[in-house]
């Protein structure tokens, strides 16, 4: 339960700096809950109906009891703003489909109005609702719609459906207008804030009143002192419609807590104050800096990292390319730079946004949430660390997995000249969301579970410095070598995934404990390497370059033989290379006439690479490891970055 204690501490700290934020951005007060309001009813100082309007996508914070904030079934009214089902005494008269909660709502509001904390606005609202004309007034003013004295459940007219029918959720094609949530505006001369959900005086009044209606006292396991214990913990953590709870217990009959406890408080005794503040802090942090994984509504997982002090922390899922200043990351010569500019900019960034603000021993928490069912949510990852370790782990991830990555930059975007897009290969670690595509590709469109599972396995590698699982690396390599899986207009995507696969293999070799794979690869072409796999990768890159240049000279645009045979080449390099050599001959004949200088350069390069092979290893048809991609990618970047040398060679022939 340490996560609950840390969130409780965060709430106390966050109150200090959130005071400067707008009311919508501030921490939610205790004894309140977020809701989507649908109808705003305006009444005057005498409790008379004035007008009403439909609200579209309006989220409000309203007073709530412990039971109403976590209600899932049964009747439990909010004390002020609630659904038609609760606030309208005439709901049943108009054929309301659900059980009316008016009596409970009226009794709760009346008791609040009769308390020492009551204010005039509350009494005005109570005066209006006891008239039991809410539904009648809303029908009269065209907000709700009825036929033959009953509220409509579907719109069958030829005209466009009224706004309320577009806002309310449908179930099997029909809806209940009693589900519309009503909030109140009380217009009283001399009172500036007429919207009750924005009135801080009403919020404080409810907090004071609700504190007197505590439940059973007991020992709070978070604060370590006697306090009023919570019996119902908040829901609506990820969004207003979220019914999943982190803490809940309903096993009080039958197999009562599997015989381990007699009641839920023996397993989890948390005070009302702690659970309210901790859950409000969690909502506040998720809204500000939570990372969503998945596109499935309530099935989304969320990840979050935060400092207890409320200071800004680097996001472990952010794209390093976005973190760094792209203007000072030019398209470097990889044979000279070796990632030095990336390392320097990375240190500068972490020093500026992390180490510059966070204290060395400041507490940092990383938390992951997911729900297996609509009503239950679990913590899938939790770790506490200090700022120094957190930043060191991030820096290590960014450096271990750094490799030239494909990015698009827009040049001349100052508005004076036409912007030009340019592809650059800048050294940085791949972003986690790009790794999803590099590992699983289009399969992710049909399932979120793979994406969530991969994120769950990547996070310990990023924030704890753990080795990357080898199956993730192998999947990325297989997709990068399967060049034909990408359409001809998706070359950018293949190149992007190629860079990511190389980064994952390099990082895997840097961190693995397996001595066979341990190696620290340079981020540039290593012409001294005599590794069989690396040399075969270089050969493939030169073969691709020769054929693609011949096609370019002939004005043709299609995949090269090297592209088509890349996967087979990775499985059986020697026998496939013989086929590639034969396929290259026609293109070499073409280039002999149109670009002899280029051809001579490439033939010399092929000879130098082949001479570096050990003869026995060269004739082996053993499958290549991921190292061949490093050789292929480095040689490919090297050839593409020296186009001027080709023109010079042609001119000299």
């Amino acid at each position: 339960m340490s996560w609950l204690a840390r969130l409780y501490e965060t709430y106390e700290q966050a109150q200090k700096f959130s005071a400067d934020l707008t009311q919508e951005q501030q921490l939610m007060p205790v004894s309140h809950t977020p809701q989507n309001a649908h109808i705003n009813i305006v009444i005057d100082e005498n409790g008379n109906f004035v007008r009403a309007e439909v609200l579209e996508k309006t989220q409000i914070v309203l007073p709530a009891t412990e039971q109403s904030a976590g209600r899932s079934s049964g009747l439990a009214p909010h004390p002020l703003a609630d659904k038609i089902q609760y606030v309208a005494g005439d709901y049943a008269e108009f054929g309301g489909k659900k059980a009316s909660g008016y009596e409970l709502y009226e009794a709760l509001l009346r008791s609040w109005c009769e308390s020492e904390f009551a204010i005039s606005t509350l009494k005005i609202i109570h005066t209006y609702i006891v008239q039991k004309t809410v539904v009648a007034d809303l029908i009269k003013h065209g907000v709700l719609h009825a036929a033959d004295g009953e509220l409509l459940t579907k719109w069958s007219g030829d005209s466009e459906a009224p706004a309320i029918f577009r806002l309310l959720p449908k179930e099997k094609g029909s809806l209940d207008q009693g589900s519309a949530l009503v909030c109140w505006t009380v217009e009283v001369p001399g009172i500036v804030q007429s919207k009750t959900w924005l009135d801080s005086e009403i919020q404080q009044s409810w907090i004071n009143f609700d504190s007197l209606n505590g439940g059973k006292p007991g020992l709070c396991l978070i604060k370590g002192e006697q306090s009023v214990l919570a019996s119902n913990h908040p829901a609506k953590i990820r969004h207003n419609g979220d019914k999943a709870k982190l803490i809940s217990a309903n096993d009080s009959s039958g197999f009562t807590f599997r015989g381990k406890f007699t009641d839920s408080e023996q397993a989890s005794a948390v005070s009302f104050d702690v659970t309210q503040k901790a859950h409000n802090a969690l909502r506040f942090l998720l809204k500000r800096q939570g990372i969503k994984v998945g596109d499935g509504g309530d099935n989304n997982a969320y990840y979050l990292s935060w400092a207890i002090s409320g200071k800004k922390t680097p996001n472990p899922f952010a794209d390093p390319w976005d973190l760094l200043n792209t203007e000072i990351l030019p398209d470097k010569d990889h044979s000279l730079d070796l990632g030095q500019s990336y390392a320097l900019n990375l240190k500068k960034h972490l020093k500026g946004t992390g180490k510059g603000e966070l204290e060395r021993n400041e507490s940092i928490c990383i938390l992951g949430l997911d729900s297996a069912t609509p009503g239950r949510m679990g913590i899938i990852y939790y770790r506490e660390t200090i700022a120094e370790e957190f930043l060191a782990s991030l820096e290590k991830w960014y450096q271990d997995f750094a490799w030239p990555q494909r990015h698009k930059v827009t040049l001349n975007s100052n508005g004076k000249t036409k912007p030009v897009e340019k592809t650059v290969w800048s050294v940085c670690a791949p972003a986690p969301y790009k790794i999803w595509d590099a590992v699983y590709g289009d399969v992710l469109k049909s399932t979120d579970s793979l994406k969530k599972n991969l994120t769950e396995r990547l996070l310990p590698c990023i924030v704890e410095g753990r080795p990357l699982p080898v199956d993730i690396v192998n999947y990325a390599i297989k997709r990068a070598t399967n060049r034909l899986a990408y359409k001809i207009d998706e070359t950018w995507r293949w190149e992007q995934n190629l860079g990511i696969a190389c980064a994952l293999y390099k990082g895997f070799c840097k961190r693995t404990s397996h001595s066979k794979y341990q190696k620290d690869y340079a981020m540039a072409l290593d012409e001294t390497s005599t590794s069989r796999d690396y040399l075969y990768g270089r050969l493939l890159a030169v073969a691709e370059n020769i054929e693609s240049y011949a096609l370019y000279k002939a004005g043709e645009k299609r995949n090269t033989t090297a592209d088509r045979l890349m996967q087979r080449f990775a499985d059986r390099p020697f026998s496939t290379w013989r086929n590639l050599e034969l396929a290259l001959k026609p293109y070499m004949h073409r280039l002999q006439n149109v670009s002899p200088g280029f051809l001579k350069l490439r033939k010399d390069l092929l000879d130098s690479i082949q001479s570096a092979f050990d003869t026995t290893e060269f004739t082996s048809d053993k499958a290549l490891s991921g190292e061949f991609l490093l050789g292929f990618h480095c040689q490919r970047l090297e050839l593409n970055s020296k186009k001027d040398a080709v023109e010079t060679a042609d001119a000299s022939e």
Side-chain angles (χ1 to χ4, degrees):
M1 301 290 277
S2 60
W3 60 272
L4 204 61
R6 294 290 176 244
L7 285 169
Y8 175 67
E9 292 175 31
T10 304
Y11 185 92
E12 300 291 347
Q13 291 290 334
Q15 276 187 315
K16 298 173 185 174
F17 66 84
S18 71
D20 298 331
L21 303 175
T22 61
Q23 190 161 10
E24 290 78 10
Q25 296 173 322
Q26 287 183 4
L27 274 167
M28 196 165 61
V30 297
S31 302
H32 285 70
T33 187
Q35 287 279 358
N36 287 325
H38 304 106
I39 299 172
N40 177 29
I41 295 181
V42 182
I43 53 181
D44 62 18
E45 71 269 28
N46 298 316
N48 298 318
F49 182 92
V50 177
R51 62 183 180 278
E53 61 178 340
V54 176
L55 303 175
E56 294 196 12
K57 297 180 180 179
T58 302
Q59 180 178 321
I60 65 171
V61 174
L62 52 86
T65 66
E66 186 182 6
Q67 290 71 30
S68 70
R71 73 187 179 195
S72 55
S73 60
L75 295 174
H78 298 311
L80 188 61
D82 210 330
K83 297 178 179 179
I84 294 284
Q85 173 192 4
Y86 287 92
V87 303
D90 54 348
Y91 172 65
E93 294 176 22
F94 285 88
K97 301 298 180 186
K98 297 178 181 176
S100 173
Y102 173 75
E103 299 298 333
L104 295 171
Y105 170 77
E106 191 276 331
L108 179 59
L109 181 58
R110 177 163 32 86
S111 62
W112 186 8
C113 291
E114 292 173 352
S115 73
E116 58 180 306
F117 307 108
I119 57 178
S120 59
T121 306
L122 304 174
K123 295 176 181 176
I124 293 171
I125 295 172
H126 184 260
T127 302
Y128 172 64
I129 61 108
V130 295
Q131 298 173 24
K132 300 184 178 181
T133 60
V134 173
V135 173
D137 289 339
L138 292 175
I139 292 174
K140 183 178 178 182
H141 288 79
V143 174
L144 297 183
H145 301 269
D148 300 328
E150 290 194 2
L151 290 170
L152 294 174
T153 58
K154 61 177 67 176
W155 184 255
S156 56
D158 296 332
S159 58
E160 184 183 2
I164 196 70
F165 282 79
R166 298 196 302 271
L167 293 174
L168 295 177
K170 296 183 178 61
E171 205 170 296
K172 296 181 179 178
S174 62
L175 54 80
D176 178 20
Q177 296 184 70
S179 299
L181 191 136
V182 174
C183 57
W184 309 100
T185 294
V186 181
E187 294 180 337
V188 178
I191 296 180
V192 177
Q193 186 53 271
S194 59
K195 295 177 179 176
T196 56
W197 62 93
L198 298 178
D199 192 333
S200 56
E201 189 181 2
I202 292 179
Q203 290 182 348
Q204 191 57 49
S205 168
W206 171 249
I207 294 170
N208 295 337
F209 176 74
D210 195 44
S211 63
L212 299 178
N213 302 312
K216 193 169 66 172
L219 177 65
C220 174
L221 298 179
I222 302 300
K223 296 167 74 174
E225 59 186 42
Q226 291 292 325
S227 186
V228 176
L229 297 182
S231 59
N232 205 342
H233 297 270
K236 302 182 178 66
I237 294 170
R238 294 170 294 186
H239 52 82
N240 289 351
D242 190 9
K243 296 180 180 177
K245 293 183 179 182
L246 279 167
I247 307 174
S248 62
N250 62 353
D251 201 17
S252 55
S253 61
F255 295 101
T256 307
F257 302 106
R258 298 296 186 269
K260 294 181 180 178
F261 313 108
T262 55
D263 60 58
S264 61
E265 291 166 6
Q266 294 175 356
S268 172
V270 181
S271 68
F272 175 77
D273 179 57
V274 167
T275 190
Q276 286 278 317
K277 289 183 175 179
H279 282 84
N280 286 352
L282 182 56
R283 290 191 194 102
F284 176 74
L285 292 168
L286 284 175
K287 191 174 180 181
R288 280 167 56 96
Q289 58 211 62
I291 305 297
K292 184 177 76 171
V293 179
D295 301 315
D298 288 346
N299 293 324
N300 291 328
Y302 277 82
Y303 290 90
L304 176 68
S305 62
W306 80 95
I308 304 298
S309 63
K311 293 178 182 177
K312 185 179 179 183
T313 57
N315 177 4
F317 289 102
D319 190 342
W321 171 255
D322 297 331
L323 292 177
L324 304 178
N325 186 353
T326 55
E327 292 181 0
I328 57 175
L329 282 175
D331 194 11
K332 288 282 182 183
D333 183 343
H334 301 283
S335 62
L336 300 175
D337 183 56
L338 297 175
Q340 184 187 25
S341 61
Y342 168 69
L344 292 175
N345 281 300
L346 184 62
K347 286 180 181 295
K348 191 176 177 181
H349 166 75
L350 290 176
K351 186 178 180 182
T353 61
K355 290 176 181 173
E357 296 181 4
L358 295 170
E359 299 293 334
R360 180 182 171 188
N361 293 322
E362 205 155 335
S363 295
I364 303 287
C365 298
I366 305 114
L367 181 143
L369 299 169
D370 196 9
S371 57
T373 64
R376 297 289 183 271
M377 185 186 295
I379 294 177
I380 54 176
Y381 184 86
Y382 182 69
R383 179 178 173 80
E384 290 181 24
T385 182
I386 59 174
E388 186 178 33
E389 288 183 3
F390 178 67
L391 294 176
S393 296
L394 281 185
E395 189 173 341
K396 186 171 172 53
W397 165 263
Y398 292 149
Q399 291 186 344
D400 288 352
F401 290 83
W403 190 263
Q405 301 295 318
R406 188 184 191 280
H407 292 103
K408 279 272 188 186
V409 295
T410 304
L411 304 176
N412 300 326
S413 57
N414 54 11
K416 296 180 181 177
T417 55
K418 187 178 180 181
V420 178
E421 283 198 337
K422 183 184 177 185
T423 300
V424 297
W425 286 90
S426 181
V427 172
C428 62
Y433 71 89
K434 289 182 179 175
I435 296 177
W436 298 340
D437 181 69
V439 174
Y440 291 120
D442 291 338
V443 180
L444 293 176
K445 294 179 181 177
S446 58
T447 173
D448 282 338
S449 59
L450 285 175
K451 193 185 296 181
K452 291 196 286 189
N453 179 268
L454 180 57
T455 306
E456 194 175 339
R457 298 176 71 196
L458 280 178
L459 187 59
C461 305
I462 299 173
V463 299
E464 298 179 32
R466 291 189 193 175
L468 189 67
V470 68
D471 62 302
I472 294 177
V473 183
N474 290 336
Y475 273 122
I477 292 171
K478 284 184 184 298
R479 276 189 50 76
T481 54
N482 188 11
R483 177 69 180 85
L484 293 182
Y486 300 84
K487 297 176 183 175
I488 192 70
D489 58 349
E490 288 186 329
T491 300
W492 66 269
R493 191 177 171 197
W494 170 71
E495 288 181 337
Q496 176 179 283
N497 289 346
L498 175 64
I500 293 171
C502 290
L504 296 184
Y505 186 77
K506 172 181 172 282
F508 167 76
C509 293
K510 185 80 181 285
R511 293 188 175 186
T512 183
S513 58
H514 201 303
S515 58
K516 179 182 176 184
Y517 298 105
Q518 280 180 345
K519 191 170 181 180
D520 190 4
Y521 288 98
M523 288 180 283
L525 181 63
D526 183 3
E527 294 181 334
T528 63
S529 174
T530 57
S531 166
R532 167 182 172 268
D533 295 0
Y534 195 84
L535 291 171
Y536 261 125
R538 292 184 62 191
L539 278 181
L540 186 68
V542 178
E544 186 215 24
N545 184 258
I546 292 172
E547 186 174 343
S548 61
Y549 191 68
L551 293 174
Y552 164 73
K553 285 289 185 181
E556 297 178 44
K557 189 176 181 180
R558 56 179 169 80
N559 286 329
T560 64
T561 309
D563 291 335
R564 295 197 300 273
L565 298 181
M566 189 173 183
Q567 192 171 36
R568 182 178 150 190
F569 184 82
D571 294 334
R572 298 187 296 278
F574 177 64
S575 57
T576 310
W577 176 245
R578 292 173 60 192
N579 295 336
L580 277 172
E581 276 189 310
L582 292 173
L584 275 179
K585 289 191 180 299
Y587 300 105
M588 287 183 171
H589 287 310
R590 284 193 208 175
L591 292 172
Q592 187 63 50
N593 298 323
V594 297
S595 190
F598 168 82
L599 185 60
K600 185 175 184 307
L601 282 177
R602 295 298 177 262
K603 281 184 173 178
D604 291 346
L605 183 57
L606 283 175
D607 290 342
S608 69
I609 295 172
Q610 286 181 313
S611 64
F613 271 99
D614 177 274
T615 307
T616 309
E617 289 185 338
F618 180 68
T619 55
S620 169
D621 234 0
K622 181 184 172 185
L624 300 173
S625 69
E627 188 182 22
F628 111 90
L629 277 184
L630 303 188
F632 173 77
H633 197 210
C634 287
Q635 185 67 68
R636 194 170 185 268
L637 290 176
E638 178 79 6
L639 294 174
N640 290 337
S641 65
K642 294 185 176 178
K643 293 178 180 175
D644 293 344
V646 172
E647 294 173 1
T648 305
D650 281 343
S652 63
E653 286 293 322

